[in-house]
Amino acid sequence: MILAKLKKVALKLIWVSSVVVLVACQSQSHQAALKEQQGLFYQQVMLAAPVLPADLTNTAMLDHVVANRVAQSAYKTANEVDYSKTNWQQRVAADWHYFDIPAAQGKLLVIDYQQQGDQLAYRYLANGSQDDLYEPWSSSKIQAFSGAIAKVRATNLELGAHATIGNSNVADLITSINSYAPFGSADGNSNAIASYFINVAGREYLSNLFADSWLKLNDSRIMFKGAYATEIFTPSKTRWQSTDSDTVVSDIAYFTVNSDDPAYLGYRCDGCGLTGNKAMTTLAQAEWLKRLASHTREPLTQQPFLQAEDIDVLFNGTGHTDKTAKVGGMMQGISQMITQSLAQVLAANDSRPAKQVLDELTQGQWRVWQKIGWGPSETRSTTEVVMLAHVYLPFIQGGREFTLAAQNSVPGASEEHLAATGLQMQANFTHAFKQLLKSQ
């Protein structure tokens, strides 16, 4: 009797052990599949070169007009808002809680455009995180570049982004910043090149552009006091020469060491906090890019000294020297997250590649100008991804255009978590575009 009971107990233990082993195997198999999926996403979507529109004949797209469309929501023009005065955030047409994405699942702000007669009008849409501070990582290289070119223009109005610095073409350099690859005369060292532009502009100058000098955000927490690398791009000569004229300036100064800039602050300076020495918000970054994108159409908010051709170089790399590339600049910004989400929303259940969907819907004239940044933060014990982009979708609902800034983070500071962070961001994009593009 006792022996029979013992046999039953033993059999039960064997069954339980088998179930545990099976569950463990299934769990390991699931984890392996998830890891493989994330690895593919990281390589094929996040790190991937961008897909480009079929029609690049009009690469500038700086004078395009968003067609008049009957919108259900209110938009306000720059005249109505008066961006020249502080606290303009309280005067814009805005729904700061428009997107039903919990702030814990990522920060997101979209500035949506509408044409009203001969004026642009805007509405600001967020998920309640527009004033949350974060480290922008490499997405802020756009601010570094436009600030540097404006500083050079202030030195000589005839000299801007259509130029060479020693043996290096400026359009090649900004393209390399975005593509992280050699391009024309640029070597692909994005961090070193971007640090050079910071050191041309100067950190006090860049930080002031967020404040009284231009954006007037009235947020003293925002700063641009750091760099991207200790290694700094060193041009063969400090001489800048225009590629459009004979204008030459032989002594454009820059700091050859980051800490030589009196305004430089260490990453964990006393006033920096956990967000470090380049602290920004989605509102700050999106507003900067929105004003660049609307430069020729919105004289009231133009960046001081910057000219339309400078923005054309930033957005499209016009004047670059790489004969194998049709376009450069932010059009070469890595990642296919935005294009994939757009195609998924605009053509549900269409399994074709995003490029085919977008080309068909927009006659090949869609545009996504973008700059992504990411990294693991030991300071915050998180892994983070930031995206700054401007999107143009002609023929979609009469023409849609918007600027966005987004930030996502997951716990744990490790590059192994980058894919999971990117997947979270793309899920937010897809969800947000559904909300945005359903509105007329």
Side-chain angles (χ1 to χ4, degrees), residues 299-367:
L300 294 175
T301 59
Q302 292 176 347
Q303 183 175 344
F305 298 105
L306 215 62
Q307 296 185 13
E309 65 183 41
D310 302 324
I311 299 169
D312 192 22
V313 171
L314 169 62
F315 277 31
N316 305 297
T318 302
H320 68 77
T321 68
D322 190 327
K323 296 180 180 179
T324 66
K326 293 183 178 180
V327 70
M330 292 179 72
M331 287 284 283
Q332 291 287 359
I334 62 169
S335 170
Q336 297 180 12
M337 288 194 292
I338 289 178
T339 47
Q340 286 197 1
S341 289
L342 284 171
Q344 183 178 341
V345 169
L346 293 171
N349 303 317
D350 191 330
S351 60
R352 291 178 300 164
K355 172 179 167 55
Q356 291 184 23
V357 172
L358 295 175
D359 279 343
E360 181 179 282
L361 293 175
T362 67
Q363 298 181 25
Q365 296 175 34
W366 59 274
R367 298 288 185 268

Side-chain angles (χ1 to χ4, degrees), residues 393-416:
L393 301 170
F395 309 108
I396 301 293
Q397 299 172 356
R400 298 301 300 261
E401 182 178 7
F402 55 90
T403 305
L404 70 83
Q407 190 263 8
N408 286 77
S409 67
V410 300
S414 171
E415 292 194 359
E416 292 182 356

Side-chain angles (χ1 to χ4, degrees), residues 2-237:
I2 294 175
L3 184 59
K5 286 184 177 180
L6 287 174
K7 285 182 178 179
K8 286 183 179 179
V9 170
L11 289 171
K12 188 172 183 179
L13 287 172
I14 291 171
W15 179 81
V16 171
S17 298
S18 299
V19 171
V20 169
V21 169
L22 179 61
V23 170
C25 289
Q26 289 176 338
S27 178
Q28 290 175 358
S29 177
H30 174 73
Q31 290 296 324
L34 180 61
K35 192 171 183 179
E36 181 181 7
Q37 177 193 11
Q38 290 180 346
L40 289 173
F41 178 81
Y42 181 67
Q43 293 295 330
Q44 298 178 6
V45 180
M46 291 181 70
L47 270 179
V51 293
L52 297 176
D55 185 356
L56 288 169
T57 53
N58 180 11
T59 56
M61 303 299 288
L62 292 173
D63 293 314
H64 61 262
V65 173
V66 178
N68 288 301
R69 56 188 175 86
V70 178
Q72 297 173 351
S73 303
Y75 294 69
K76 283 188 178 180
T77 65
N79 278 322
E80 293 174 302
V81 172
D82 192 356
Y83 289 95
S84 68
K85 294 184 174 61
T86 56
N87 298 317
W88 55 259
Q89 303 96 308
Q90 299 173 19
R91 299 190 294 273
V92 297
D95 184 343
W96 300 118
H97 296 275
Y98 178 83
F99 297 114
D100 55 0
I101 299 170
Q105 293 180 21
K107 302 173 180 59
L108 179 65
L109 181 136
V110 170
I111 305 175
D112 191 26
Y113 292 51
Q114 185 192 29
Q115 191 75 27
Q116 292 185 358
D118 60 353
Q119 289 185 298
L120 280 177
Y122 317 93
R123 61 173 180 157
Y124 291 69
L125 309 171
N127 68 330
S129 60
Q130 69 277 359
D131 294 321
D132 292 351
L133 217 59
Y134 59 82
E135 179 178 354
W137 298 91
S138 289
S139 67
S140 60
K141 291 173 181 176
I142 302 312
Q143 280 86 21
F145 179 82
S146 76
I149 300 301
K151 188 70 173 290
V152 171
R153 284 277 187 197
T155 302
N156 188 317
L157 287 175
E158 300 301 315
L159 189 63
H162 281 193
T164 56
I165 312 169
N167 297 325
S168 302
N169 180 284
V170 172
D172 292 347
L173 292 173
I174 187 56
T175 303
S176 203
I177 281 177
N178 285 282
S179 68
Y180 293 88
F183 189 91
S185 58
D187 64 6
N189 192 336
S190 178
N191 287 340
I193 298 169
S195 291
Y196 166 77
F197 285 120
I198 290 178
N199 286 329
V200 168
R203 290 157 181 81
E204 193 69 22
Y205 180 82
L206 287 169
S207 296
N208 284 339
L209 286 172
F210 286 102
D212 292 342
S213 296
W214 185 32
L215 296 189
K216 301 186 184 302
L217 284 170
N218 197 27
D219 188 342
S220 61
R221 303 171 306 157
I222 296 172
M223 67 175 76
F224 204 151
K225 299 297 182 73
Y228 302 101
T230 54
E231 179 187 1
I232 299 169
F233 163 71
T234 304
S236 59
K237 299 176 183 177

